[in-house]
Amino acid sequence: MKWFASELHTHTLHSDGRQTLEELAAGAAGLGFDAIALTDHNTMSGLIGRAEIGQKYGVHIIPGMEWTTFYGHMVTIGLEAFADWRDVNRHDIDKGIAAVHQHGGIAGIAHPFRIGSPACTGCYWEYELNDWNQVDYIEVWSGTFPSILRSNHRAFELWTQKLNEGYRITATSGRDWHTQEPTDDPISVTYLGIEEIDETRQSESPLEGQSGMNTYAEGEAWIGSVDEKDLINSLRKGRAAVTMGPLLTLTISSDEITYSLGAVIPAQQSRSQPVDAKLLAHVAVDFMVRAGKWSMPEQTLTLKLCSNLGEEQQVKIEWHPNQQRINFSMPLKIGTAAESCRRWIRAECWGTIRGAYVQIAFTNAIYFEEGARQT
């Protein structure tokens, strides 16, 4: 699987940002991002020229818009047409999400516990959702150095609660990037995983001097053979990992079948096994991603496997600046009464950044079929 470093919440001069789209793309490329979503407030006008600008800087620019209302902010990504944000009220945001889906997009709750009125009107999520199955993702980390913020702790807890209830919702980070002013704070990244590359979408004539970069029509991607729809689909399916440093990934194997993030392990793989049977959880930590764009001191990191059953496994690993990658496997018991209630599992990485012991990275979940909410 190939992972694309993505920033999914940005703004330009077309709303309340203080940067052009070209300045945003240049800044994203400088920070090692492969993709950004432009999510200006209640407008998509800032996307004009995105194909040429993205091609110039080698960055996918995904179309989006942040629905900005008195009752909450909702980030919409991948729309094929404008979905009108004005025709919803506090009690029927489900209708707005349905409109986004009808236009080919996905919808996520932005910074749900950020302070609201009067400091930031509408920033706090107050919409009454009738069906959480319609929510594609929750922005659980917002801003820079996100894992130290109480508002993000609450968002992470909300996501975990919904997983425990049986919903399959993706978790993301979003800088809410408005300006090119430099920051010393750690920056989070949402990595989107692409399982397969469709070679038929490659152009036969790459741009001169840009090996591996191909020309496409307006609205399509050009980096390698990856289409922006692949990235959106990865986000929709939960093939995502979030980090302020190394890339943390998780797969689970059973009977020579490997399940990646967002996948569902069928009941016959996880339940109808002897008590002493095991699933294998494979955790990888890649310290080479975005080399030179993040830092943390040499230390002992704690890697955890967490599920609706709580913290299931923990292992300590030693990290030093020359470390490139760590891989290890841990067994998950299956077949017992308690473990038959497992609904999902994710990996987390904890350690010290800027003197604070924090969550550095986490994956999205792998799900277990019998734990899914029945609707």
Side-chain angles (χ1 to χ4, degrees):
M1 184 173 292
K2 183 173 176 58
W3 295 93
F4 290 77
S6 307
E7 170 52 61
L8 301 176
H9 191 160
T10 70
H11 297 280
T12 69
L13 294 166
H14 285 253
S15 60
D16 62 343
R18 298 194 299 276
Q19 57 190 342
T20 65
L21 181 58
E22 182 158 358
E23 289 169 337
L24 173 61
L31 290 173
F33 284 100
D34 302 303
I36 56 174
L38 179 58
T39 55
D40 275 324
H41 298 282
N42 298 338
T43 181
M44 298 178 72
S45 61
L47 290 162
I48 296 172
R50 70 183 175 96
E52 294 81 5
I53 293 171
Q55 187 174 15
K56 179 178 179 179
Y57 294 99
V59 176
H60 296 277
I61 301 177
I62 303 170
M65 185 176 75
E66 183 175 7
W67 286 31
T68 308
T69 75
F70 290 113
Y71 303 114
H73 292 189
M74 184 171 76
V75 180
T76 63
I77 293 177
L79 282 80
E80 298 168 351
F82 181 84
D84 198 338
W85 55 273
R86 295 168 293 182
D87 191 28
V88 295
N89 60 49
R90 185 172 183 173
H91 308 290
D92 65 358
I93 188 62
D94 301 74
K95 180 175 67 174
I97 296 175
V100 171
H101 290 163
Q102 288 169 4
H103 288 296
I106 58 177
I109 300 174
H111 44 66
F113 294 104
R114 184 178 295 177
I115 189 171
S117 298
C120 183
T121 301
C123 288
Y124 187 91
W125 185 264
E126 298 182 62
Y127 280 109
E128 298 174 8
L129 273 160
N130 297 310
D131 184 6
W132 278 90
N133 284 306
Q134 300 306 308
V135 176
D136 296 295
Y137 67 96
I138 301 173
E139 187 181 85
V140 301
W141 279 5
S142 177
T144 57
F145 206 171
S147 64
I148 67 170
L149 301 177
R150 176 56 186 158
S151 58
N152 290 335
H153 294 172
R154 296 180 67 187
F156 195 89
E157 290 165 1
L158 171 65
W159 173 52
T160 301
Q161 173 189 334
K162 293 305 171 184
L163 294 181
N164 289 343
E165 292 172 4
Y167 297 102
R168 296 170 185 170
I169 301 174
T170 304
T172 70
S173 67
R175 181 174 173 177
D176 206 351
W177 197 1
H178 285 74
T179 177
Q180 285 301 307
E181 293 177 359
T183 178
D184 292 330
D185 284 345
I187 295 171
S188 61
V189 180
T190 301
Y191 280 92
L192 301 177
I194 305 297
E195 286 190 314
E196 295 181 0
I197 302 298
D198 183 357
E199 300 297 334
T200 63
R201 285 201 299 266
Q202 291 190 14
S203 167
E204 295 180 357
S205 55
L207 292 178
E208 183 178 356
Q210 296 181 328
S211 177
M213 190 175 293
N214 303 285
T215 57
Y216 285 76
E218 174 73 26
E220 293 185 328
W222 47 85
I223 302 173
S225 58
V226 174
D227 190 287
E228 68 184 26
K229 292 181 180 179
D230 294 324
L231 298 172
I232 295 165
N233 194 47
S234 291
L235 180 57
R236 179 186 288 112
K237 292 187 175 182
R239 292 199 296 263
V242 177
T243 183
M244 295 187 297
L247 170 61
L248 178 69
T249 57
L250 170 69
T251 59
I252 292 179
S253 63
S254 172
D255 294 338
E256 300 182 351
I257 300 174
T258 298
Y259 300 92
S260 58
L261 299 180
V264 181
I265 300 177
Q268 62 268 25
Q269 293 290 332
S270 59
R271 313 295 183 221
S272 304
Q273 299 286 341
V275 172
D276 60 351
K278 297 180 186 298
L279 296 171
L280 278 178
H282 308 279
V283 180
V285 190
D286 186 349
F287 297 98
M288 297 300 292
V289 294
R290 297 178 61 246
K293 308 301 182 183
W294 57 272
S295 65
M296 62 183 184
E298 185 172 337
Q299 61 183 291
T300 301
L301 298 172
T302 301
L303 300 181
K304 303 177 182 180
L305 289 180
C306 300
S307 73
N308 56 296
L309 303 177
E311 183 181 314
E312 294 197 30
Q313 301 269 9
Q314 183 181 120
V315 64
K316 303 287 187 179
I317 61 172
E318 298 299 323
W319 180 79
H320 55 80
N322 294 325
Q323 188 80 40
Q324 296 186 5
R325 187 177 178 89
I326 294 176
N327 298 277
F328 61 93
S329 299
M330 293 184 283
L332 295 175
K333 290 185 178 180
I334 58 176
T336 66
E339 286 149 354
S340 68
C341 297
R342 186 188 290 118
R343 293 181 166 184
W344 58 269
I345 195 164
R346 68 174 176 239
E348 301 179 8
C349 176
W350 290 74
T352 300
I353 293 182
R354 298 189 62 179
Y357 184 76
V358 295
Q359 187 179 54
I360 295 173
F362 64 89
T363 71
N364 269 271
I366 296 175
Y367 301 96
F368 295 82
E369 186 176 42
E370 288 190 358
R373 185 182 181 87
Q374 301 301 308
T375 57

